[in-house]
Amino acid sequence: MSAAIWGNYVRYGDDDVLAFAWLFLGGLHVTAYYHATQAMEKYLKALALSIIDPVGATHPIPLHSRWLKDHNLPRLAERCKHQFPYYGESGVRAALERFTEFDQVARYPWVEQTHGNGFTSADVPLIRELLIHMRTDIPITTDDYPLGMFLRGHHHHHPEHTVNPNLAAFQAPAIAAVRRVIPNADEMVRR
């Protein structure tokens, strides 16, 4: 696994993608969409940190920086848009604004909604697109994070080193869910 400081965000973002897919297929859509927003937030933070320091070894900003505690997806995307113009596109920003509201409503029921009632099943293709885009923009060089390991089935660059069979069996239902909910999920990982 990468020693980059932003790697922790990738690792836990991957867990949120697994939770999103598994919960979505289980019919727990509100909780699933919440995990989708969490994955987006973590991937955007990883991307923003990687722009500052691609290797992630110099810790150029204090890890207690205020923006690292921010949950607002458009503000996080703003930090990335100069290097990655996709995050400045109006459609992407509008989706992130609405998804941020859903994240807040799912955690704090007193938050007043302005964009409707959060995600619907019609948003799943956009969720897929955003997650794939975000994860592939992060400069991962050794993808031994959960999605990389379990979707690929072996350590990055080392096909002879397969994933621990007990761990693979434990993760199999979540990986199967990812493959159903995000049919092109293999695009997210490095081969």
Side-chain angles (χ1 to χ4, degrees):
M1 193 173 300
S2 172
I5 192 67
W6 43 260
N8 285 327
Y9 285 106
V10 176
R11 190 254 183 270
Y12 289 108
D14 282 3
D15 285 349
D16 281 316
V17 171
L18 291 163
F20 159 64
W22 199 355
L23 292 165
F24 183 82
L25 288 183
L28 297 172
H29 294 157
V30 171
T31 308
Y33 295 143
Y34 170 75
H35 281 282
T37 63
Q38 289 297 293
M40 290 177 206
E41 177 183 325
K42 290 170 184 138
Y43 288 159
L44 283 171
K45 287 177 180 178
L47 183 59
L49 284 168
S50 76
I51 291 168
I52 297 166
D53 183 18
V55 176
T58 61
H59 306 282
I61 59 165
L63 294 180
H64 61 278
S65 293
R66 186 178 180 148
W67 71 268
L68 284 173
K69 296 177 183 172
D70 196 349
H71 304 294
N72 185 287
L73 298 175
R75 281 196 302 259
L76 293 169
E78 183 74 22
R79 300 188 76 81
C80 304
K81 77 174 188 178
H82 298 294
Q83 183 109 0
F84 298 93
Y86 171 81
Y87 301 104
E89 293 176 8
S90 62
V92 171
R93 291 192 52 79
L96 293 175
E97 185 69 40
R98 191 165 57 82
F99 296 170
T100 289
E101 177 183 287
F102 182 82
D103 171 67
Q104 296 300 304
V105 170
R107 290 192 291 164
Y108 311 114
W110 57 84
V111 171
E112 193 171 320
Q113 295 179 312
T114 58
H115 295 289
N117 59 359
F119 295 132
T120 69
S121 58
D123 290 310
V124 173
L126 180 55
I127 293 168
R128 288 182 201 133
E129 175 192 329
L130 288 166
L131 291 172
I132 290 170
H133 218 290
M134 290 173 181
R135 193 175 191 282
T136 57
D137 283 342
I138 301 166
I140 298 169
T141 56
T142 302
D143 194 356
D144 282 346
Y145 298 103
L147 287 178
M149 291 286 291
F150 293 116
L151 287 171
R152 200 178 42 246
H154 60 80
H155 290 270
H156 194 207
H157 305 302
H158 294 285
E160 70 278 10
H161 297 275
T162 59
V163 175
N164 175 312
N166 293 329
L167 190 53
F170 183 72
Q171 291 292 333
I175 293 301
V178 167
R179 290 191 185 284
R180 283 188 56 201
V181 175
I182 308 173
N184 53 340
D186 287 325
E187 295 175 18
M188 298 175 81
V189 302
R190 286 20 172 222
R191 291 283 160 202

